Amino acid sequence: MMEMTGHEHTKDTASIVSRGEPAKDGPSIMSKIALALAVLANILAVIALILVIVSVANQGDNLFNITVPSSGGTSGGNGATNGANNGADNGDTGMTTTRNSEDKIWLLQVGHIIANIIYIDESTGIVKGYLIDVVEALCQIANKNCQIVWDIPERCWTSVAGERPRGGEGLLGRWYDACIGWVHTYDAARTFIFSTPLVQLPKPGFLIKANSTEFTYPDFTGLRVGFLDGWTTDEYCLDRYQDVMGFDPTDATRVTHFATAPEIIGALIMDQVDVVFSPPLPPLFSHPALQVAYIENTDLCNIGGAGLMTQKDQVELVSWFNAAFENLKATSRYRDICNNLLTEHGGQPGARPGEAVCV
């Protein structure tokens, strides 16, 4: 065996080192650059996500944060009296917007399309109208955080032909705190409580196909009667009118419910029903293929006009809501809402002026 000289030992050792793992002097420049790019990519991803969330939140959203007078009122007031006093003059003074320190957000459902009272602005996806303007003002006056929730009307109140109307699964199941725009009826009063009316109460009437001679009030003998599902002008209300003849609210062969105004219009035109009992909704009462046969002199369907409907244990909600509305009516803000109703929301079919809506 040949003995390794010192020179050869050194050379071989260097060769071994060059073929082994590199000396650990810390990450290379390329590694540092790759790490920095990865961090930057994560930051950009987070920013993009935030922008998407903000964009979605700003579309179709009706979130009413509380407002307090800029002269020094304080936010976070709990209770109707404190909240109402904080915002009583919000139609007449400058305001600053802040978030209520109270964590509770009151979820208020709307689902009806009613001319300029409630409608969806298709350009923004936001629910608008007289009732939305009023509710926004009331939440600010009462110093409450409120969120408008859109859902089908039947989840607040529903009815089926031949059966008593009843509460909808949404309100009964507490999906939201209250439903807005519902008329105070005898049937609903057995299940829910109501605020003071926010809208005038129009009298119901009867529609027939144009030039039809089948119906002469108050004789309903042999006639098929149509009703809008979930509305107060149902078969049991019609039966309350003492002069009505030949009508049985339990006869499912003569009582038909329809989910929408277009459906009930089509049923009249196609002779599927002979007469419709309905509130004076513009899509129905202004339709050229229909005619108004009779308007009742009194309203036996309702106790009061449209307002807030909620569970019977929601006394606090009704209390601050009513107190705020009394304060709102005393301000110029409510007068402006009413006077500008056609200007702000007049582009909707069947739009009514403030004097026909405001209380």
Side-chain angles (χ1 to χ4, degrees), residues 213-255:
T213 59
E214 296 289 329
F215 170 67
T216 302
Y217 186 86
D219 188 3
F220 291 82
T221 304
L223 298 182
R224 299 160 300 171
V225 187
F227 303 88
L228 276 171
D229 186 39
W231 288 80
T232 61
T233 48
D234 58 17
E235 58 269 36
Y236 295 98
C237 174
L238 179 56
D239 195 48
R240 292 192 189 103
Y241 289 89
Q242 298 298 315
D243 54 348
V244 166
M245 301 181 297
F247 178 73
D248 180 1
T250 64
D251 185 356
T253 65
R254 300 288 179 182
V255 173

Side-chain angles (χ1 to χ4, degrees), residues 207-212 214 224 226 258 261-276 283-284 286-291:
L207 286 169
I208 58 175
K209 184 178 179 180
N211 302 318
S212 172
E214 296 289 329
R224 299 160 300 171
F258 298 90
E263 288 181 18
I264 211 167
I265 291 170
L268 275 171
I269 294 174
M270 300 300 293
D271 296 318
Q272 295 172 356
V273 294
D274 302 301
V275 59
V276 165
L284 294 176
S286 61
H287 196 282
L290 310 180
Q291 70 182 56

